[in-house]
Amino acid sequence: MTWRPQYRSSKFRHVFGKAATKENCYDGVPITLSVHDNLLCSVNPRFIAVITECAGGGAFLVLSINHTGKVDPHHPKVSGHRGNVLDIKWNPFDDFCIASCSEDATVKVWDIPQHGVMKNITVPWKELQGHSRRVGLIEWHPTASNVLFSTGYDYQVMVWNLNCPEPVVKNPVRTISVHSDVVLSMSFNMDGSRLATSCKDKKIRIIDPRAGTLLRETNYKTHKASKVLFLGNLKMLLSTGTSCWNHRQIALWDQEDLSEPSFQEDLDGSSGVLFPFYDPDTHMLYIAGKGDGNIRYYEISSEKPYVHFLTEYRSILPQKGMGVMPKRGLDVCSCEVFRFYRLVTIKSLIEPLSMIVPRRSESYQEDIYPMTAGKEPAMTAEEWLSGMDKGQNPVLMSLKPGSKLEPYADLGSVKAPIVSVDSQRSVSRPGPLPFSLIQQQQQQEERERRETSTNAPPHDRSSNTITNGQRDFTHCSPPKTENELRQMFYKQQDEIRKLRELLNQRDVRIKQLELEIKNVKNVQSLR
């Protein structure tokens, strides 16, 4: 009888979660007390945004990703809504643009200054008025620029084109009316040609977002779905919800046949909503429960039994919401494949949690970092709405330091600009660049900033990036008030932190080169 291993072979079997130390967390954040079942947090490589508790209207906080430690209780907020903010999402193609929706039945799109929020922002770049009741969810299109989807308690899903001159938009380009109750979640497939929704009427629907037509829906009675998620290019859907016995469960569906799930598993008897997160690059699925302290993670395959449990991260601190860093903001030198930002309400804390593949080598690991979705859109809003290039895939990029953005093989006539990854990487994770190159980039960015500071429209300001976050404070006027002095102090602290991280990266690079020299010498001695 042949021996069979107990565990399937997987390079992600030993992934573990590493929580940030206290000084690398965001402390003193007044996280909202809202009971709305949303993530309440959104992250990109430059900023972290979290919905906060606010008297009179709604507000959310935008912090620099490097602004860890104790947060000033009087830190300026984005506070232009008349009702509680229910959801926020960063534009995937613009790190300085964020959308929010509120109980005041509006969706607002905000332009965040490059240096961060230094004073309260109350005037949005765009205000979208079309819903008759409060708006609970928003979602950006994954491949077309400036296309935003919103849904509210009027059961409507509305499609907005932000490429218009009017600051107040009252008519969406399309309204999808196929739901009979409140929409609980929305998810796009990889190319944005299909939209999956879960609804309070317990049904999962697949919709053509361009035409607004219903393609398929479930009629399965024993699974009450609360959240739904497309699993990359596997042509499968994953839903989280409850069974007829009120047990929390996950279910896997074939997107071409929603008559019954392909896989179904009960998890526990808790009552909190389960938030699913999927990494299409590693095929790993993360399940985090609202009010739980643990995060389960699985590996998804295209063959039965489809879902393979790996392990779980445990913490005594419960999370109320979660933010997820895009792949282009991860630390590839430490083999980080996913990063959460856990909202711990009982301690007013935002705790970064890195999921790490244990590797002995500190060099770049190509096998765990395939080409991933980049910052460049595959098409414009007008092209997408006109039906052009249907089935367009995202513009992909490599996370390897020094590599460049590359278009996907099926991009056709759409040309992606060639942008160095080093300029797109997180300012908190600078790569091992030559010092002369850093100076050249700083000089170039300073010239561009002077030329476009007065004429650049809000949606184009993301092109003026900040190289390694460096700023020349000698040209700034001296602070006149206590608030200005405090903000200047925060800027200088950020500069010191970034320089320390840059030095650490150089030390790692030196060690790598020393090891390579040692290996070469060993090989030569053996010959």
Side-chain angles (χ1 to χ4, degrees):
M1 185 173 66
T2 58
W3 178 82
R4 293 180 180 272
Q6 184 178 0
Y7 300 102
R8 58 189 293 270
S9 175
S10 170
K11 66 184 74 174
F12 304 109
R13 195 176 74 191
H14 301 292
V15 169
F16 66 95
K18 182 180 180 181
T21 57
K22 185 66 179 290
E23 56 268 19
N24 290 321
C25 296
Y26 306 83
D27 194 11
V29 180
I31 302 170
T32 179
L33 301 178
S34 170
V35 296
H36 203 70
D37 291 329
N38 277 346
L39 298 177
L40 309 178
C41 179
S42 186
V43 186
N44 69 25
R46 292 179 179 270
F47 300 106
I48 175 171
V50 59
I51 302 174
T52 59
E53 193 64 20
C54 176
F60 60 94
L61 195 65
V62 176
L63 299 172
S64 169
I65 205 71
N66 303 308
H67 192 170
T68 54
K70 190 72 174 178
V71 177
D72 183 2
H74 302 292
H75 192 285
K77 297 181 176 66
V78 181
S79 53
H81 284 286
R82 296 186 302 275
N84 291 331
V85 177
L86 300 181
D87 196 15
I88 50 177
K89 293 281 171 60
W90 287 105
N91 188 335
F93 310 119
D94 186 349
D95 288 343
F96 302 96
C97 179
I98 187 171
S100 63
C101 62
S102 167
E103 290 182 348
D104 61 9
T106 64
V107 178
K108 296 186 179 183
V109 185
W110 309 87
D111 175 51
I112 304 300
Q114 292 187 10
H115 49 75
V117 179
M118 296 301 175
K119 60 181 180 179
N120 288 337
I121 299 178
T122 57
V123 179
W125 171 49
K126 298 285 184 184
E127 181 173 343
L128 313 179
Q129 301 176 356
H131 289 279
S132 58
R133 299 182 65 185
R134 58 180 173 172
V135 186
L137 281 172
I138 49 178
E139 199 71 45
W140 293 92
H141 193 276
T143 58
S145 63
N146 289 333
V147 176
L148 184 64
F149 286 68
S150 65
T151 181
Y153 282 67
D154 54 2
Y155 312 158
Q156 310 292 320
V157 177
M158 296 187 178
V159 187
W160 306 89
N161 179 10
L162 304 184
N163 289 341
C164 58
E166 299 84 8
V168 178
V169 183
K170 296 186 177 181
N171 297 314
V173 293
R174 187 157 291 107
T175 300
I176 303 173
S177 305
V178 297
H179 300 91
S180 59
D181 212 324
V182 178
V183 178
L184 301 178
S185 69
M186 296 188 293
S187 175
F188 284 97
N189 63 351
M190 287 287 287
D191 58 12
S193 62
R194 294 290 180 268
L195 173 67
T197 63
S198 61
C199 185
K200 203 171 181 180
D201 62 7
K202 307 173 187 177
K203 292 184 179 181
I204 298 173
R205 294 174 173 85
I206 297 180
I207 302 166
D208 183 344
R210 201 191 316 252
T213 56
L214 177 64
L215 302 178
R216 280 171 289 279
E217 67 178 5
T218 61
N219 286 306
Y220 197 66
K221 303 297 182 183
T222 60
H223 177 74
K224 305 172 186 176
S226 58
K227 302 293 179 182
V228 66
L229 188 68
F230 266 106
L231 299 183
N233 54 7
L234 295 179
K235 296 186 177 180
M236 290 191 289
L237 291 169
L238 180 119
S239 64
T240 62
T242 56
S243 67
C244 54
W245 303 102
N246 262 353
H247 291 162
R248 294 196 298 185
Q249 66 178 191
I250 59 175
L252 203 64
W253 309 80
D254 181 355
Q255 74 177 41
E256 303 298 333
D257 181 14
L258 299 182
S259 58
E260 62 178 359
S262 307
F263 172 87
Q264 197 170 347
E265 180 182 358
D266 289 357
L267 299 184
D268 53 39
S270 299
S271 58
V273 173
L274 293 173
F275 296 114
F277 304 92
Y278 181 68
D279 182 1
D281 301 333
T282 61
H283 301 294
M284 286 186 65
L285 170 70
Y286 303 87
I287 302 292
K290 184 178 180 180
D292 297 351
N294 64 327
I295 299 176
R296 301 174 176 89
Y297 37 103
Y298 307 78
E299 193 168 5
I300 306 295
S301 65
S302 56
E303 300 176 353
K304 289 185 178 181
Y306 303 115
V307 180
H308 307 275
F309 177 73
L310 296 175
T311 184
E312 65 178 339
Y313 167 81
R314 293 177 179 270
S315 172
I316 61 173
L317 300 176
Q319 65 242 357
K320 180 170 185 175
M322 309 281 283
V324 175
M325 173 66 75
K327 292 299 283 286
R328 56 191 172 89
L330 299 182
D331 183 8
V332 297
C333 294
S334 63
C335 298
E336 184 184 30
V337 293
F338 215 75
R339 191 193 305 165
F340 293 100
Y341 287 80
R342 302 174 62 238
L343 305 187
V344 183
T345 311
I346 60 174
K347 291 202 170 186
S348 299
L349 188 74
I350 303 178
E351 179 188 56
L353 173 65
S354 298
M355 311 306 293
I356 296 175
V357 179
R359 296 284 174 94
R360 292 184 179 180
S361 174
E362 294 180 343
S363 60
Y364 178 75
Q365 306 291 311
E366 293 189 6
D367 60 322
I368 62 176
Y369 294 113
M371 298 288 286
T372 189
K375 192 182 173 183
E376 298 299 324
M379 66 186 92
T380 64
E382 290 74 16
E383 290 172 343
W384 182 78
L385 291 170
S386 65
M388 183 179 177
D389 295 323
K390 191 171 184 179
Q392 191 72 273
N393 287 283
V395 178
L396 302 183
M397 64 178 286
S398 172
L399 298 179
K400 186 174 182 178
S403 60
K404 297 179 180 180
L405 287 175
E406 295 183 7
Y408 191 81
D410 296 332
L411 283 182
S413 59
V414 180
K415 296 182 179 179
I418 304 301
V419 183
S420 172
V421 166
D422 294 312
S423 65
Q424 304 291 341
R425 295 183 62 184
S426 168
V427 293
S428 64
R429 311 283 182 183
L433 295 176
F435 186 71
S436 59
L437 180 58
I438 293 176
Q439 289 182 322
Q440 292 175 5
Q441 290 181 346
Q442 288 178 344
Q443 294 171 359
Q444 181 180 357
E445 294 298 332
E446 183 65 27
R447 288 195 297 268
E448 292 179 356
R449 196 157 50 242
R450 289 173 180 173
E451 292 173 358
T452 61
S453 59
T454 57
N455 299 324
H459 58 279
D460 287 332
R461 292 181 187 174
S462 62
S463 60
N464 301 327
T465 57
I466 307 172
T467 305
N468 290 329
Q470 304 289 338
R471 292 187 178 278
D472 187 4
F473 294 101
T474 59
H475 294 89
C476 298
S477 59
K480 299 179 181 179
T481 64
E482 182 181 355
N483 187 41
E484 291 180 358
L485 182 63
R486 187 185 299 112
Q487 297 301 333
M488 187 68 68
F489 171 76
Y490 289 150
K491 288 181 182 179
Q492 292 177 345
Q493 291 296 315
D494 286 341
E495 285 296 318
I496 294 171
R497 189 180 299 111
K498 292 167 190 172
L499 289 173
R500 285 175 179 169
E501 291 180 352
L502 184 60
L503 288 175
N504 291 335
Q505 291 286 344
R506 298 295 168 79
D507 291 340
V508 171
R509 182 58 179 164
I510 290 171
K511 291 179 181 179
Q512 292 174 355
L513 293 174
E514 288 175 350
L515 288 174
E516 291 177 4
I517 293 172
K518 186 177 180 180
N519 292 334
V520 171
K521 289 181 178 179
N522 290 337
V523 171
Q524 290 177 350
S525 63
L526 291 175
R527 292 178 180 176

